[in-house]
Amino acid sequence: MNDELKASSDLGTHEVTNQPLPAGDGDLWAQDEALRAHARQAGAQDAALADFGALLGSAGMRAAGREANRHSPELVLFDAGGRRLDEVRYHPAYHRLLAAGFSAGYAALPWEEAPGGHATHAAMVYQINQIEPGVACPLCMTYSAYPVLRRSGVPGEPWLARITSREYDPSVAPVQRKKGASVGMAMTEKQGGSDLRANTTRARRDGEAFRLTGHKWFCSAPMSDGFLTLAQVDGGGLTCFFVPRWLEGERNAIRLMRLKDKLGNRSNASAEIEFADALAWQLGEEGRGVRTIIEMVHHTRLDTAMAPAGLMRAALARAKHWCEGRVAFQKRLIDQPLMRAVLADLVLDWEAALALGLRVAQAYDGRLGPAAPGEGAPDRRPQEAARAFARIAVALAKFNSNKRCVPVIYEAMEALGGMGFVEDTPMPMLFRESPLNSIWEGSGNVICLDVLRTLAREPLAGEVLQGELAAARGVDRRYDAALRAHQARWPGLPDESEARWFVERLAVLLSASVLIRRAPGAVADGYVATRVAGARGQLAGAVSGLDTAALIARI
Ligand SMILES: Cc1cc2nc3c(=O)[nH]c(=O)nc-3n(C[C@H](O)[C@H](O)[C@H](O)COP(=O)(O)OP(=O)(O)OC[C@H]3O[C@@H](n4cnc5c(N)ncnc54)[C@H](O)[C@@H]3O)c2cc1C
């Protein structure tokens, strides 16, 4: 401790001791060996991630994350004269974080020429979730809207160029006059979110365009420049539309009704909105709305599968820092055998989520192999197989990684004792955030049913998945036996009521298959022993025989 800190630790009544020092500047790339290894194996772009990691890890950006969370967005419905504004005002820290994301290429990289764009994007999702998860929502939706807009075409063409711009432009203006644009998604209505066919918003033809009337029960990032949405066309069925927020000379008729008072995700405004004869353009075929917008959901799912890995990493990094700086019963917490068992056990869920998420992102880039550097000739499976794998594997990753996220963060919080419950640490924010990525873009049950549907309808997805599972065979007998047992238990698809059990096992096996091929021995061995072969109690740390030194060193 230097003199300056020591001086300020002497408070007159007592001296401050045994409180870990502030973490200070960090680097979310240089200090994360596991990320570097898995990102490289997934073909991500190192330089972009190194820059983004150094920026986000700085003490200044961490402070911005705290500020953006502390100062919730404010709904401003009218101006001083009572004219409608329908705007949301955010703290400057929120804008600063969003600008950092857009300028790093978070939403744009995957759609540029350079290879590994989706893997790089996925790693950025992981990085930003460690600092401020709320801004990940508008960044994710802008990234995900691109393929739908590109395929369907939107009148007033600058949209594609604006949403892949590296400039963040929050000004209130039509897209033609902006340097960059963001896009949101408004699907969920009061009567049903998973069952989108229950949507009642109506669309009426108006020349080349349409006019929408109805409500949307959840619409996050309502200051986006445009939204993908669904509405019923008279006699034509549920159809996908693009609704610009600003028109030349006037506001489009999108009314913000109120902002949700949410458990977490505080920096991100989530609104209830109404379309009051709002101008909209049709995307895709009439009556094929779900089929059109599902392309966007396919991409938002990648982010929701990757985000929990970032949240877990942030919680574990803080827990480790705390345990290294805190002594109890004459010994640092990090040296207490039971604390080591808990932390080491948590590492397994975090690294599994990280490794699987990036493997899935690699498939989004249209590349399935090779499974590990030097493992043999690159796999030449066509893009179609990669896409089929991405479709099924993203659902497995989203389900399992998010279900693990809540208990991991809760246990990491407990490692800080009472301070884990206090807002001076990031733990309460991370805990509040931990259930969210499981709920949106297909809640747990819906994802499990989607896995069954994909396996039933897309035989290629099942084939490529089996190939991926088989690729890890022959290394660990416990894994081989568990894979055989899964196939024997479910020779075909399970009954719907067993879908969670089936999907959980499949996700654990898939995670193990990636770790066996891509992670250090201590991680793969620990994961197979505890999660695959079941040498573990129900709770974190109820383990024995883990290589705690190697596992804790991964954090
Ligand atoms: C913070 C936040 C922000 C959001 N932002 C947006 C946004 O920007 N745009 C948007 O469109 N939506 C948004 N949503 C909404 C979100 O996508 C939905 O809440 C979600 O899709 C679930 O829909 P629901 O709430 O209607 O629940 P329901 O569809 O009623 O589902 C309730 C539960 O039933 C389960 N379930 C459903 N069907 C079955 C079945 N067949 N068998 C068994 N179980 C089933 C589900 O898994 C879920 O657990 C947001 C939600 C939150 C919390």
Side-chain angles (χ1 to χ4, degrees):
M1 193 182 283
N2 64 34
D3 288 347
E4 196 181 315
L5 284 166
K6 191 162 174 35
S8 61
S9 292
D10 184 356
L11 302 185
T13 55
H14 65 284
E15 195 179 340
V16 179
T17 61
N18 202 21
Q19 287 283 331
L21 292 171
D25 281 322
D27 186 322
L28 303 187
W29 175 256
Q31 294 173 324
D32 191 341
E33 190 186 339
L35 170 64
R36 291 200 307 280
H38 291 294
R40 281 179 183 143
Q41 291 177 95
Q45 299 164 20
D46 278 20
L49 293 172
D51 290 349
F52 200 47
L55 174 68
L56 288 180
S58 66
M61 280 309 217
R62 287 177 193 277
R66 282 194 297 277
E67 289 299 289
N69 259 277
R70 192 184 287 271
H71 303 282
S72 295
E74 185 192 353
L75 181 62
V76 186
L77 287 182
F78 301 98
D79 74 2
R83 289 168 285 266
R84 279 208 87 103
L85 282 177
D86 293 298
E87 287 178 17
V88 178
R89 303 266 160 83
Y90 297 88
H91 190 271
Y94 170 90
H95 292 298
R96 187 174 164 206
L97 287 155
L98 260 190
F102 279 112
S103 65
Y106 192 108
L109 270 167
W111 314 115
E112 294 170 352
E113 290 296 306
H118 291 279
T120 311
H121 163 82
M124 286 183 174
V125 173
Y126 168 83
Q127 290 177 319
I128 210 159
N129 268 275
Q130 295 177 50
I131 302 301
E132 209 301 287
V135 295
C137 173
L139 288 164
C140 159
M141 292 195 290
T142 304
Y143 151 70
S144 307
Y146 183 90
V148 183
L149 295 177
R150 182 180 55 188
R151 182 182 298 203
S152 313
V154 183
E157 184 27 50
W159 281 102
L160 289 182
R162 296 297 185 274
I163 66 177
T164 48
S165 160
R166 299 292 182 102
E167 279 193 73
Y168 170 55
D169 181 348
S171 64
V172 175
V175 69
Q176 291 79 1
R177 286 197 269 123
K178 295 187 66 153
K179 299 191 187 94
S182 62
V183 176
M185 173 169 66
M187 301 191 299
T188 309
E189 296 191 359
K190 284 178 183 142
Q191 62 280 5
S194 310
D195 185 4
L196 292 172
R197 289 193 164 75
N199 272 207
T200 59
T201 295
R202 297 185 312 280
R204 137 182 103 74
R205 192 171 281 285
D206 181 10
E208 295 286 289
F210 281 80
R211 295 280 167 180
L212 304 192
T213 302
H215 80 283
K216 294 289 168 183
W217 188 223
F218 281 92
C219 174
S220 291
M223 289 299 286
S224 301
D225 296 284
F227 304 92
L228 268 76
T229 194
L230 295 169
Q232 304 281 356
V233 177
D234 253 358
L238 195 63
T239 304
C240 184
F241 292 94
F242 185 73
V243 191
R245 184 143 170 72
W246 319 112
L247 305 174
E248 197 55 64
E250 59 172 335
R251 291 171 148 72
N252 201 1
I254 306 169
R255 310 269 184 255
L256 306 194
M257 307 310 290
R258 61 173 169 166
L259 299 185
K260 301 284 196 195
D261 186 4
K262 299 174 292 185
L263 168 67
N265 205 246
R266 293 268 178 85
S267 70
N268 180 32
S270 298
E272 296 166 20
I273 65 167
E274 287 185 1
F275 297 127
D277 220 25
L279 181 94
W281 296 300
Q282 183 179 324
L283 297 178
E285 283 177 57
E286 189 172 292
R288 310 299 291 269
V290 173
R291 201 189 168 91
T292 305
I293 211 164
I294 209 74
E295 177 74 10
M296 179 169 184
V297 175
H298 176 61
H299 288 87
T300 56
R301 277 191 185 166
L302 175 61
D303 290 34
T304 57
M306 209 57 218
L311 298 173
M312 288 190 263
R313 158 83 192 174
L316 284 173
R318 180 50 67 114
K320 184 181 179 194
H321 170 259
W322 183 271
C323 290
E324 283 172 342
R326 181 87 171 166
V327 172
F329 305 101
Q330 294 86 48
K331 214 170 174 182
R332 290 191 315 159
L333 288 175
I334 198 75
D335 297 323
Q336 308 272 4
L338 190 49
M339 184 62 89
R340 295 181 70 75
V342 171
L343 292 177
D345 192 27
L346 300 180
V347 163
L348 296 172
D349 286 322
W350 151 61
E351 186 155 349
L354 172 64
L356 178 58
L358 285 168
R359 176 71 177 142
V360 174
Q362 185 182 355
Y364 275 70
D365 279 317
R367 228 167 48 85
L368 274 179
E375 201 180 56
D379 190 334
R380 298 276 178 222
R381 278 179 280 188
Q383 288 211 341
E384 197 192 342
R387 189 172 164 87
F389 177 69
R391 171 94 174 79
I392 185 104
V394 76
L396 295 170
K398 178 183 185 304
F399 179 69
N400 198 49
S401 302
N402 279 298
K403 291 296 177 196
R404 300 310 312 154
C405 184
V406 179
V408 167
I409 289 180
Y410 151 66
E411 289 288 358
M413 172 192 263
E414 193 171 298
L416 273 68
M419 282 307 289
F421 207 65
V422 174
E423 298 283 349
D424 287 340
T425 77
M427 294 308 200
M429 183 277 283
L430 294 168
F431 187 65
R432 285 193 293 269
E433 200 68 23
S434 61
L436 178 58
N437 287 281
S438 184
I439 291 175
W440 57 17
E441 313 313 319
S443 312
N445 288 352
V446 169
I447 287 285
C448 291
L449 297 176
D450 188 60
V451 168
L452 300 196
R453 203 173 307 117
T454 304
L455 288 173
R457 289 188 190 164
E458 294 180 35
L460 182 60
E463 271 169 44
V464 186
L465 177 63
Q466 287 307 326
E468 182 80 2
L469 294 169
R473 271 204 311 239
V475 179
D476 188 319
R477 276 184 303 184
R478 297 164 300 181
Y479 172 81
D480 297 352
L483 189 54
R484 278 195 305 275
H486 187 266
Q487 285 157 350
R489 172 72 180 78
W490 289 290
L493 290 180
D495 180 73
E496 205 174 292
S497 62
E498 277 182 18
R500 274 200 180 220
W501 191 9
F502 173 80
V503 168
E504 180 196 315
R505 274 318 274 172
L506 211 46
V508 166
L509 287 166
L510 184 60
S511 306
S513 129
V514 177
L515 291 176
I516 286 171
R517 288 171 293 150
R518 294 191 163 184
V523 178
D525 181 69
Y527 193 84
V528 171
T530 54
R531 273 68 174 168
V532 175
R536 181 182 192 263
Q538 301 288 323
L539 302 176
V543 288
S544 79
L546 292 180
D547 183 346
T548 57
L551 291 173
I552 293 171
R554 296 296 280 169
I555 306 174

